[in-house]
Amino acid sequence: MDTRLEVVYRLEVPSEEQGTFARALLLEQTVETPEEVALRVPVVRERLMGEIVELEPLEAGGARLVLQLPVETAGVDPAQFVNVLFGNASLHEQVVLEDFELPPVLFDRFPGPRFGIDGVRARLGVHDRPLTASALKPVGLSVDELAALCRSLAEGGIDVIKDDHYWADHPFAPFEQRVRRCQEVVQEVSARTGRRVVYAPSLSGTPSQVLRQAEIAQQCGVGAVLVAPMLLGLPFFYELVTRHLEVPVLAHPSFAGAQRVLPETLLGKLLRLYGADMIIFPSFGGRFSYSRATCRALAERARQPWGPYRSALPVPAGGMQVERARELVEFFGRDVMLLIGGSLLRAHTGPELTARARALVESVAEAAAALSDSDFA
């Protein structure tokens, strides 16, 4: 059985330096000593050195480097895994983390999505179309204003209503007050209409604050939570998911652009590995966006079969327009959740916003109905 972690990097170094640089990077990511020092120790020499399995120059310049690294060092804990994957290597401006492959022996070390696409759909009772989502914004609204906004979106048929990720425990809308009010609203609308609506509050702060917020939110009966894993830290995110949360997790990408890691690897794969059920990313055509190719690769990484892990739901966002719903459904297929915030909120709270939300939901359903089974991603 293969017991090595395979990691793929892109090296942006001249061809004459690639071999030396690759060897130095291997040492950096394993023993972090001069090679002659490492070779003195038998266990290091025989089991922990790792190896270069591919170093291929690229036509555009630089090279593709594939390392196989020992699981004895990588699989100790969630922080150490990231350290071995891209710890000291991330300090080199010439190195980009492109991908990684787990050996089967590591599958049981990480949770993966606990609900995934099927679990999220089951909670909402929606199986035949893409899901819709919107955000409560801007920060600065009062609890009463947030509750009114939440009601308008819920009555318009939006499936998931999340806090904007900038919401924290602000004095003008304290966490516990806004969560209780917004959850009461979605429960009332769900009971009255027979259509399930999920509210996802944002968990933000120090570990102790986040754990307390998670407890409060779940006591209130929320259907999901919003978390920015890169802001909180991946090891804490791992522990939060595996030990403290019993609801699906909607992962926000804030601070994910601060690392030289391909988006489809960081968001579509690593966050899925650490337990995200739904993964937000800036879609093409928004106010800040990934390319179409990156968006497709990211969505595929989130949904594709991978060992024992459930698929995660891709959530394109970032300045999406209501009028582009059909285009987005045609591009991403059935298993997607469209997160549209500001474009919806151009309508005033109340009947106008409810009508605009309802029109969005209807256009998504119509676009999905027009797809053939072979079009579904």
Side-chain angles (χ1 to χ4, degrees):
M1 178 182 292
D2 186 3
T3 59
R4 295 249 170 153
L5 169 67
E6 188 169 280
V7 190
V8 183
Y9 304 96
R10 185 172 72 245
L11 308 183
E12 298 173 350
V13 297
S15 57
E16 63 272 15
E17 300 176 15
Q18 290 170 4
T20 301
F21 193 97
R23 190 66 188 174
L25 194 66
L26 173 66
L27 294 171
E28 197 68 59
Q29 290 305 107
T30 51
V31 294
E32 200 185 356
T33 65
E35 190 164 2
E36 62 269 23
V37 175
L39 292 176
R40 294 176 194 159
V41 184
V43 67
V44 173
R45 182 176 65 246
E46 295 167 10
R47 292 168 49 190
L48 303 180
M49 282 287 291
E51 65 177 315
I52 297 171
V53 295
E54 181 180 328
L55 180 61
E56 184 69 27
L58 300 173
E59 288 186 9
R64 181 177 186 268
L65 169 66
V66 182
L67 301 182
Q68 285 189 345
L69 306 176
V71 295
E72 290 96 326
T73 60
V76 177
D77 60 59
Q80 176 63 5
F81 178 78
V82 177
N83 191 24
V84 170
L85 202 66
F86 201 47
N88 278 4
S90 71
L91 302 176
H92 292 281
E93 294 183 351
Q94 310 98 314
V95 181
V96 175
L97 175 61
E98 287 203 345
D99 200 0
F100 64 92
E101 293 297 335
L102 295 183
V105 294
L106 283 185
F107 282 150
D108 62 354
R109 303 284 183 91
F110 298 95
R114 294 159 306 132
F115 296 86
I117 295 174
D118 290 343
V120 171
R121 285 189 174 282
R123 286 205 156 210
L124 289 162
V126 177
H127 303 279
D128 58 351
R129 61 164 173 81
L131 302 176
T132 58
S134 193
L136 300 177
K137 57 172 71 179
V139 170
L141 296 177
S142 68
V143 170
D144 288 344
E145 290 169 326
L146 285 168
L149 178 57
C150 190
R151 181 177 298 279
S152 296
L153 293 169
E155 290 181 342
I158 299 298
D159 298 304
V160 176
I161 301 169
K162 74 172 189 70
D163 281 352
D164 186 71
H165 79 284
Y166 281 112
W167 279 109
D169 195 7
H170 297 287
F172 43 80
F175 178 85
E176 185 167 358
Q177 291 181 32
R178 78 167 188 268
V179 171
R180 290 192 184 281
R181 287 290 302 283
C182 289
Q183 180 60 20
E184 287 172 0
V185 165
V186 299
Q187 286 177 332
E188 187 277 322
V189 172
S190 296
R192 177 163 45 82
T193 64
R195 182 183 46 76
R196 300 175 200 168
V197 183
V198 163
Y199 165 58
S202 175
L203 308 184
S204 177
T206 65
S208 61
Q209 290 171 322
V210 169
L211 293 177
R212 177 59 181 154
Q213 290 170 6
E215 182 181 8
I216 292 169
Q218 291 180 116
Q219 287 175 349
C220 291
V222 302
V225 294
L226 176 75
V227 179
M230 301 308 292
L231 290 180
L232 297 186
L234 285 173
F236 175 52
F237 176 65
Y238 169 96
E239 185 168 288
L240 178 67
V241 169
T242 57
R243 298 186 183 181
H244 301 282
L245 290 176
E246 298 179 358
V247 296
V249 175
L250 177 57
H252 193 281
S254 185
F255 199 54
Q259 289 74 31
R260 288 188 310 284
V261 185
L262 291 187
E264 56 264 40
T265 297
L266 178 58
L267 301 178
K269 194 168 186 177
L270 192 58
L271 294 194
R272 177 184 174 190
L273 181 68
Y274 276 55
D277 298 286
M278 300 165 276
I279 301 169
I280 301 173
F281 59 94
S283 183
F284 66 92
R287 68 180 184 275
F288 53 92
S289 62
Y290 295 145
S291 67
R292 285 176 174 263
T294 294
C295 289
R296 188 174 296 283
L298 198 159
E300 288 175 353
R301 288 282 180 89
R303 296 182 296 208
Q304 70 187 11
W306 183 22
Y309 300 126
R310 293 181 174 88
S311 297
L313 187 67
V315 186
M320 296 294 94
Q321 301 297 308
V322 171
E323 294 75 17
R324 294 185 58 219
R326 180 177 294 275
E327 174 196 359
L328 293 169
V329 171
E330 290 172 351
F331 183 85
F332 288 106
R334 171 178 173 269
D335 283 329
V336 66
M337 181 163 68
L338 305 186
L339 173 53
I340 300 178
S343 178
L344 267 182
L345 300 180
R346 288 196 174 97
H348 295 294
T349 301
E352 184 182 346
L353 177 57
T354 296
R356 188 164 170 80
R358 187 172 293 118
L360 168 64
V361 173
E362 291 172 355
S363 69
V364 167
E366 290 171 2
L371 295 175
S372 67
D373 289 341
S374 62
D375 290 322
F376 287 156

